[in-house]
Amino acid sequence: MPLALLALAIAAFGIGTTEFVMMGLLPNVADDLGTSVPTAGHLVSAYAIGVVVGAPLLTALGTRVPRKRMLLALMGLFTLGNLASALAPGYETLLAGRFLAGLPHGAFFGLGAVVATRLVAPERRARAVASMFLGLTVATIVGVPLGTLLGQHLGWRSTFLVVTAIGLIAMAALARLIPQLSEESRPRLRQEVRELRRPQVLLAMATTIVGMASIFAVYTYLSSMMTKVTGFSDSAMTLVLALFGVGMTLGALIGGPLADRALRPTLYGALTGLTAMLGLFHFTAEHKATALASVVLIGMAGFLACTPLQVLVMEKASAAPTLAASSTQSAFNIANAFGAWAAGAAVSAGWGWTAPATVAAVLAGGGLVIAVAAGLLDRARPDRSESRVVATGERAVLEDVHTS
């Protein structure tokens, strides 16, 4: 794999750390700023809203900007948002800093996915995308636990200062390792938006929202399930969350090569496995050994589905890959909010602390149904006009292939 993918992975590591570390720092932030933990929880929502808003907006604004320059600008905005968070004098300014840090998230991953596929041969594109997202999964194993530990001992501001430093390192790596890619034949914004409305693209987005909501439904309440049902202590939660990250990393490593060989079957298999594991988690959560094994397998199955979903959207909107890929990140964050809300509603209804696993299994099954329906539609009604990208070296020529 090209060394340039390392630069994208470093950036993904920083983004993943700042996205998830706030969940572990909420009590510290609440105490320091004199607010409640539920109110501090809005800082997580502020970042997610920034992702949803920023993904299409910044992608649209950067349509005519050279890709390498745009990657650096997005990483610069991310770094500025984390610095603003570290220096925020109060709750409102920290809220603004979190929103600012979230703005470039989707656009960066969308553009980064396109750049990653340009750096490798067509048959290795899923592996290239998975390599970038590997930085995100490693963040859940290393960045988030260490960031939480640092914030608990040296104050939450120190965590965001470290993430700021990671952002600067990522910018240096991007500037040094990412080559100047050809900017010929890039689609106009109107064409990108038109491609985004194609049925297969919308179905892939729906699969992402419904299917991936299952992961966030169970992840949001994982600590509560492990302490109240399984019997782990609060201090053991760092290990449990790290094991979930190990599963995600395994999913990323396995998912890339499998998706390159068989895109849709990999997606079907991942969602089937995810549905089964979440359904069983209602029972396996009762015992520590089976609970820990389930945590790893759920994380693995969940992230095994992420790479084929990202590549599928880019494939079905191949004349608008950047906007499509960045919009997928918005879909993931909508899934985050939807999954957490659905699981929370089940707990509030008195269904017990294993209810998030049951809700998650239903959501994963729903994602599988949508994915299979999209596959059947693809066979029954192939698009009349398909677009494909043919890459030669660093030059990409966009061809429209019309079928009668």
Side-chain angles (χ1 to χ4, degrees), residues 7 68 71-72 169-180:
K68 181 175 181 177
L71 283 173
L72 286 168
I169 293 171
M171 290 179 68
L174 291 169
R176 178 70 179 86
L177 299 177
I178 298 294
Q180 293 292 346

Side-chain angles (χ1 to χ4, degrees), residues 105-245:
H105 176 125
F108 183 90
F109 277 124
L111 182 57
V114 173
V115 169
T117 60
R118 294 289 190 272
L119 297 172
V120 298
E123 65 273 11
R124 297 178 67 86
R125 59 183 180 170
R127 270 168 282 194
V129 173
S131 295
M132 178 183 69
F133 281 112
L134 199 59
L136 183 65
T137 64
V138 171
T140 63
I141 303 173
V142 180
V144 173
L146 290 182
T148 301
L149 192 64
L150 181 68
Q152 290 171 344
H153 287 82
L154 299 180
W156 60 268
R157 297 178 189 275
S158 63
T159 300
F160 291 106
L161 285 174
V162 170
V163 176
T164 300
I166 295 173
L168 293 173
I169 293 171
M171 290 179 68
L174 291 169
R176 178 70 179 86
L177 299 177
I178 298 294
Q180 293 292 346
L181 300 173
S182 172
E183 304 299 330
E184 293 182 10
S185 302
R186 292 184 65 181
R188 296 184 180 277
L189 179 60
R190 184 178 300 177
Q191 182 182 4
E192 292 232 10
V193 173
R194 186 170 61 248
E195 284 287 298
L196 210 58
R197 296 200 302 264
R198 293 172 64 183
Q200 284 293 347
V201 177
L202 295 176
L203 284 170
M205 293 290 188
T207 304
T208 301
I209 293 173
V210 178
M212 292 300 98
S214 65
I215 290 295
F216 296 107
V218 76
Y219 186 82
T220 302
Y221 292 94
L222 186 60
S223 294
S224 297
M225 291 175 65
M226 292 292 97
T227 54
K228 297 179 184 299
V229 178
T230 314
F232 282 108
S233 64
D234 290 336
S235 60
M237 285 307 98
T238 299
L239 172 62
V240 173
L241 294 176
L243 285 175
F244 194 90

Side-chain angles (χ1 to χ4, degrees), residues 304-316:
L304 184 60
C306 289
T307 298
L309 277 171
Q310 183 80 72
V311 175
L312 184 63
V313 171
M314 293 167 63
E315 180 184 88
K316 293 302 175 182

Side-chain angles (χ1 to χ4, degrees), residues 7 19 44 78-79 103 129 144 167 181 225 255 269 289 306 311 324 326 392 397:
E19 179 180 15
V44 177
F78 167 82
T79 304
L103 279 175
V129 173
V144 173
L181 300 173
M225 291 175 65
C306 289
V311 175
S326 62
T392 305
V397 181

